[in-house]
Amino acid sequence: MTWQPSTRSAVPPFAVMSVLQRVADLRAAGREVISLCAGEPSQGAPADVRRRAAELMHGGVPLGYSETFGIRPLRELLARHYHAWYGLDIDPGQVALTTGSSGAFLLSFLAAFDPGDRVALARPGYPAYRNILASLGCEVVELDCGPERRFQPTIEALRSAGPLAGLVVASPANPTGTMLSAAQLSEISAWCAHHGVRLISDEIYHGISYTGSRGECAWSHDRSAVVISSFSKYWGMTGWRLGWALVPDDLLTAFDALAGNYALCPPVPAQHAAIAAFTPSSYRAADEAVAEFAAARQVLLDRMDDLGWVDIAPADGAFYLYAGLGDRLVGHPDSVSWCADLLETTGVALTPGSDFDPVAGGRSVRVSLAAGAEAVAAAVDRIVAFQAAEHPTV
């Protein structure tokens, strides 16, 4: 008998992982590479968090299994964080710590949706939403959210999508960085509640914004939504694999049962260390990193005329800029080929838009600002020279 992988596992890999592998190969061969492709803050965890992690390895804190939803002190600190940032009173019992935001998405989708349920999300958008939902047997409904809609879902798009069981929104969004205003999120939340559509709100980039707002929390509008966030972005703790969900009352039992079976509990050393993420020093360090992202963003925006890119997403938050290549793509079949050529020729790594938009992403790229202003400035110089050499008359 010949064994085959399950049909549910037939999801596409991230193109960015192929780019990162090529970056590693080139660096191993001695090439100097400016990598602007990974969605990973370069500053790493705050010093207080790293110091606490080192203490844990030599202290008497037990590091065996925790409660399924995580240790109570950390959940209480997260509840205080929501009060400080959003003015919300959160029951720590509704805070579920997870193995990264990825674990929160998996558990939320499992708890909220059945196979065959139709779940909408924006295109372009983070591909893991689409791939996790598809692997669980849900029907993914992609909403075409181009520049005319600021790359975010609208009520008009939802009305034309047909019957839905769920909607995933992200603000700030990956790859575009666009954000929903309080009025927009309120309107979407009300529409979802009226039509029995479960709202899943990805808020992992909250705190990284350039609009004066930290981001709008869905629980400020409707507590039947699931809110997902993480220590990975604002606090720079990507490899610690620690996220969380704010779980509505009607999903608590299901979420708890699923979490206990899938992971038992989130990484316990990371949980104890993350308590130090809420010190004044850690907040300052995170805000200083955001200021660096803002500087890198401004460098890139100031060079848009030189780059000649089109349909540029308003980079309200996160640390990305998403844009169409326009006539700079000429000579390449798609942005995957363009990015590969750019990397080999100049040593600059960008992410092709096909990861985020299987329909129109072949004409777009995502630039990560996480490497800082100096790296972005040097990369732009190389990209402009690359485009001039490819198309000297453009």
Side-chain angles (χ1 to χ4, degrees):
M1 180 175 181
T2 301
W3 299 97
Q4 298 291 334
S6 69
T7 55
R8 70 174 58 193
S9 69
V11 297
F14 283 171
V16 68
M17 301 312 294
S18 299
V19 178
L20 289 171
Q21 181 60 57
R22 186 55 185 157
V23 168
D25 292 343
L26 290 172
R27 285 174 172 169
R31 285 280 303 276
E32 185 262 338
V33 177
I34 303 174
S35 180
L36 305 183
C37 57
E40 181 169 31
S42 56
Q43 81 274 14
D48 283 358
V49 173
R50 289 183 273 114
R51 187 179 303 111
R52 182 57 185 146
E55 293 169 355
L56 289 168
M57 296 302 103
H58 303 284
V61 177
L63 299 177
Y65 297 135
S66 74
E67 304 95 298
T68 300
F69 275 13
I71 59 174
R72 183 78 184 191
L74 183 55
R75 293 157 67 198
E76 290 175 345
L77 283 168
L78 278 165
R80 292 180 203 168
H81 172 79
Y82 275 89
H83 184 78
W85 272 28
Y86 311 102
L88 292 172
D89 292 323
I90 303 293
D91 178 358
Q94 290 184 277
V95 179
L97 294 160
T98 58
T99 306
S101 61
S102 301
F105 282 112
L106 175 61
L107 294 170
S108 299
F109 295 163
L110 281 165
F113 308 127
D114 285 316
D117 279 352
R118 302 179 79 247
V119 182
L121 44 86
R123 189 185 74 241
Y126 182 50
Y129 307 147
R130 179 175 67 245
N131 295 339
I132 295 172
L133 286 164
S135 73
L136 297 178
C138 294
E139 180 184 344
V140 176
V141 180
E142 292 187 312
L143 307 176
D144 184 8
C145 299
E148 68 282 356
R149 291 173 171 165
R150 295 190 76 257
F151 298 92
Q152 286 285 358
T154 62
I155 298 301
E156 176 190 18
L158 291 169
R159 286 177 180 145
S160 63
L164 298 172
L167 168 67
V168 181
V169 298
S171 174
N174 178 9
T176 62
T178 56
M179 294 175 67
L180 292 165
S181 68
Q184 289 171 318
L185 187 54
S186 177
E187 184 181 32
I188 287 172
S189 296
W191 187 92
C192 287
H194 180 73
H195 291 85
V197 176
R198 179 76 69 176
L199 179 63
I200 311 289
S201 182
D202 177 353
E203 302 178 5
I204 72 171
Y205 291 97
H206 274 208
I208 307 175
S209 69
Y210 318 105
T211 65
S213 167
R214 292 189 176 96
E216 188 69 18
C217 182
W219 269 26
S220 296
H221 304 279
D222 182 7
R223 299 229 176 176
S224 69
V226 180
V227 171
I228 293 174
S229 196
S230 172
F231 288 93
S232 290
K233 307 301 183 179
Y234 175 70
W235 282 283
M237 296 171 59
T238 52
W240 300 69
R241 306 316 302 135
L242 194 61
W244 71 86
L246 302 184
V247 185
D249 286 332
D250 64 311
L251 292 183
L252 275 172
T253 299
F255 202 103
D256 180 72
L258 289 163
N261 278 282
Y262 269 78
L264 295 181
C265 65
V268 172
Q271 291 186 58
H272 285 281
I275 287 174
F278 299 97
T279 66
S281 175
S282 291
Y283 277 115
R284 279 196 303 273
D287 287 339
E288 288 167 3
V290 174
E292 288 295 318
F293 302 147
R297 169 182 177 269
Q298 195 58 51
V299 166
L300 191 55
L301 291 176
D302 288 345
R303 299 293 301 276
M304 279 298 114
D305 286 345
D306 296 335
L307 287 165
W309 295 350
V310 300
D311 295 333
I312 300 159
D316 301 325
F319 34 71
Y320 306 116
L321 187 135
Y322 190 76
L325 293 171
D327 55 16
R328 271 50 174 180
L329 182 61
V330 174
H332 296 87
D334 54 32
S335 57
V336 174
S337 169
W338 188 93
C339 286
D341 196 5
L342 177 73
L343 177 56
E344 298 299 326
T345 304
T346 72
V348 173
L350 306 183
T351 304
S354 52
D355 250 2
F356 313 102
D357 184 346
V359 176
R363 300 186 295 274
S364 301
V365 292
R366 186 194 74 177
V367 183
S368 172
L369 310 170
E374 184 177 345
V376 168
V380 171
D381 286 341
R382 296 186 192 184
I383 296 168
V384 170
F386 168 78
Q387 292 182 155
E390 291 264 302
H391 310 291
T393 61
V394 173

